[in-house]
Every structure is written in structure tokens, then in C-alpha cells.
């Protein structure tokens, strides 16, 4: 998973006309993915050592799990590991609106010092 993430950033970075040092990688991770942010952060640090991402910070933004109940026409927040169904009608979780994202939001470059004439 971390490898795929690094490869994605690398592919994008290599396609840029200039390749300034990367300071931060912003990632959106849904609560309903199997990704554990702390574990991902650690793996990222280890696996980027000696690469172009060495020293770059991984900033993880978690999105909550939100489902939509069609009979009730309402959104609700399932409790992960406890209760996924609708709290009002007890219907099963069928329509996930948020929480399964796993994407790179943006990449921030290190500030290159302005050249002084
Ligand atoms: Zn319902």
C-alpha cells in the first residue's frame, strides 16, 4: 500500500517540468479503508529513506464513514466495528457516501530560497 502510494507520487513528480524537493504529501484516507494512519506514516518514513521523498512529511486527513439510508432518505454515521445499519430503521448499510477514499490530495514543495541579486 505504501509502495503504491510512493510510486504514484513519484510518477507524478517525474512528469513535472521541474522537480523541486517535496516537503509534504497530503493524503485523504477514509475511516472505512483498512489503512491505519499511524502505521502508514511509519511505513512512509521508512520506505522513503534515500529516495526523492526522503524527509518529506506525510499529512493524513481522515474522512469519516458516512452512509445513506434510502428508506429514511437520511445520512447517518455508522459505528465502525459496532453497528453499520441505519439507527432509525435498522436497515443494512447499502450506500456509502464517504469513508472509502484513499487519494493523494496534493503535494507541497519545499520552499526554495529566493535568489538574491
Ligand atoms: Zn433507515
Amino acid at each position: 500500500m505504501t509502495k503504491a502510494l510512493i510510486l504514484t507520487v513519484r510518477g507524478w513528480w517525474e512528469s513535472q517540468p521541474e522537480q523541486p524537493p517535496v516537503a509534504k504529501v497530503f493524503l485523504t484516507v477514509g475511516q472505512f479503508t483498512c489503512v491505519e494512519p499511524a502505521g502508514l506514516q511509519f511505513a512512509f518514513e521508512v520506505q522513503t529513506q534515500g529516495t526523492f521523498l526522503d524527509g518529506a512529511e506525510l499529512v493524513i486527513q481522515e474522512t469519516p464513514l458516512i452512509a445513506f439510508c434510502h428508506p429514511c432518505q437520511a445520512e447517518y454515521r455508522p459505528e465502525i466495528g459496532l453497528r453499520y445499519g441505519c439507527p432509525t430503521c435498522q436497515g443494512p448499510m447499502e450506500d456509502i457516501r464517504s469513508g472509502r477514499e484513499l487519494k493523494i490530495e496534493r503535494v507541497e514543495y519545499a520552499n526554495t530560497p529566493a535568489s538574491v541579486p
Side-chain angles (χ1 to χ4, degrees):
M1 159 57 220
T2 318
K3 277 221 167 73
L5 166 72
I6 294 168
L7 283 177
T8 307
V9 178
R10 188 202 197 105
W12 173 84
W13 182 75
E14 281 175 347
S15 71
Q16 299 300 300
E18 284 173 52
Q19 280 130 30
V22 174
K24 287 177 186 175
V25 176
F26 291 84
L27 191 72
T28 296
V29 176
Q31 271 185 339
F32 200 51
T33 60
C34 301
V35 177
E36 215 266 294
L40 182 62
Q41 210 128 29
F42 178 74
F44 181 85
E45 247 170 63
V46 171
Q47 292 184 28
T48 54
Q49 270 168 23
T51 73
F52 75 104
L53 283 172
D54 200 344
E57 190 188 338
L58 185 64
V59 182
I60 296 172
Q61 166 86 51
E62 268 192 285
T63 52
L65 174 59
I66 295 173
F68 186 81
C69 179
H70 287 276
C72 300
Q73 285 294 301
E75 282 186 345
Y76 66 96
R77 301 269 289 258
E79 292 168 54
I80 294 172
L82 292 175
R83 180 183 52 75
Y84 293 101
C86 170
T88 310
C89 70
Q90 318 301 324
M93 179 170 78
E94 284 173 341
D95 195 353
I96 295 175
R97 290 286 161 96
S98 151
R100 281 197 299 203
E101 305 84 349
L102 188 59
K103 61 175 182 194
I104 297 162
E105 216 55 65
R106 65 196 172 91
V107 171
E108 199 174 281
Y109 294 137
N111 285 332
T112 39
S115 56
V116 182

